[in-house]
Amino acid sequence: MGYFGTNGGIHFNPAPVSVSGGMINTVEGVASISDASGNLLFYTDGSTVYNKLNAVMTNGSGLLGDGSSTQAAVIVKMPLSSTLYYIFNSSSSSSVGINYSVVDMSLSGGLGAVTAQKNIPVYQPSTEKICAVKHCNNTDVWIISHYYGSNEFRAYLLTAAGLNAAPVSSNVGTTIAGNSGMAIGCLKASPDGNKLAMAMRYTSSGSNASILEMYDFSNTTGVVSNAVSLGTGYTYAYGLEFSPDGSRLYANSSGGSFINQYDLCAGTSAQIV
């Protein structure tokens, strides 16, 4: 179950149905998390965390994501914990960077609370792109984002001991610098964790243009490699998603209001394009 957009909501168990009552009112990034049965635990627009009763969670205001960040928040359950969750925030301001806060669901009578570990800096400057991938051990989690000012991906490993402050750095693909618009757009991982895709929006000579790239990702080492360009024919490339079986990639243009489907099983990179 999750909330998004302008007070929109959806429940997927057993079939998709709309849900009202959510407090989210934003045009960009949100995150929700449910228990194993699909029951909502909490959700956030990157700035405020709301509990399952649609009330502001204890200590849940003032997070460093914001409503103008593509991926304002990613929620990850702490490995081997039954109550702790990390909220990783990206900001529309590269200087604010990536930060995290910890939610403890055992607090406030089971409604959860943001702990004293709030707005802990990870690094800056960063883009608005962030995603999470299960480690190959199926317990730990890679938190992946992109540095602003270079072509560097940073993958941080979250374990039962907490977040490893030393990232795995990979310099690959297009440099995101010189035009803040390139910081806009999603970073998504395939369901098996072996591929990443990234949308980059920019303005060139007064015209809107975009770059869409795909990469290999090792969920063993955290290394990003083998950038493949999927074209530049987008106006405001923004949203991305892989199909459940990982055989297709979908990309949208918010400027032209269309969705492209890429067949990742087509063969060579040129055939995929």
Side-chain angles (χ1 to χ4, degrees):
M1 179 176 172
Y3 290 107
F4 54 89
T6 306
N7 305 110
I10 192 166
H11 200 300
F12 295 97
N13 187 17
V17 294
S18 63
V19 179
S20 61
M23 300 302 294
I24 290 292
N25 188 348
T26 182
V27 296
E28 297 195 60
V30 297
S32 299
I33 195 156
S34 300
D35 63 19
S37 299
N39 300 306
L40 180 68
L41 295 175
F42 62 91
Y43 58 100
T44 179
D45 59 4
S47 300
T48 305
V49 186
Y50 299 93
N51 63 31
K52 65 182 180 182
L53 300 182
N54 300 314
V56 176
M57 181 177 281
T58 302
N59 196 31
S61 60
L63 272 64
L64 293 179
D66 64 69
S68 187
S69 176
T70 305
Q71 292 171 287
V74 170
I75 303 170
V76 179
K77 191 174 185 179
M78 184 173 185
L80 304 182
S81 173
S82 60
T83 62
L84 298 179
Y85 294 81
Y86 278 65
I87 302 175
F88 292 92
N89 293 121
S90 72
S91 172
S92 60
S93 171
S94 61
S95 62
V96 174
I98 304 297
N99 299 269
Y100 73 83
S101 300
V102 177
V103 169
D104 187 342
M105 289 303 300
S106 70
L107 302 177
S108 297
L111 294 175
V114 177
T115 70
Q117 287 184 280
K118 182 178 180 180
N119 292 329
I120 307 299
V122 179
Y123 78 92
Q124 55 85 22
S126 73
T127 66
E128 299 179 11
K129 312 169 195 295
I130 186 169
C131 67
V133 173
K134 271 287 186 75
H135 189 279
C136 69
N137 63 20
N138 206 36
T139 299
D140 302 328
V141 183
W142 293 104
I143 311 302
I144 309 159
S145 63
H146 199 288
Y147 195 85
Y148 183 78
S150 73
N151 66 342
E152 181 189 0
F153 285 90
R154 292 189 172 189
Y156 292 83
L157 191 61
L158 179 66
T159 72
L163 189 70
N164 188 334
V168 176
S169 296
S170 303
N171 292 91
V172 60
T174 297
T175 294
I176 299 179
N179 186 314
S180 60
M182 294 185 74
I184 298 169
C186 285
L187 172 65
K188 289 295 183 75
S190 60
D192 62 9
N194 291 327
K195 294 285 186 183
L196 299 175
M198 185 166 70
M200 292 162 278
R201 192 186 90 182
Y202 68 97
T203 302
S204 177
S205 301
S207 300
N208 296 317
S210 296
I211 299 171
L212 180 63
E213 287 181 343
M214 188 169 65
Y215 320 83
D216 291 333
F217 180 71
S218 170
N219 63 353
T220 301
T221 65
V223 171
V224 183
S225 61
N226 300 326
V228 173
S229 174
L230 297 181
T232 58
Y234 289 86
T235 301
Y236 291 150
Y238 187 86
L240 296 170
E241 194 56 88
F242 288 87
S243 63
D245 64 0
S247 68
R248 301 288 192 272
L249 175 67
Y250 297 90
N252 93 306
S253 169
S254 59
S257 298
F258 64 84
I259 297 175
N260 277 346
Q261 173 184 268
Y262 293 87
D263 180 0
L264 304 184
C265 300
T268 66
S269 298
Q271 289 169 324
I272 291 173
V273 172

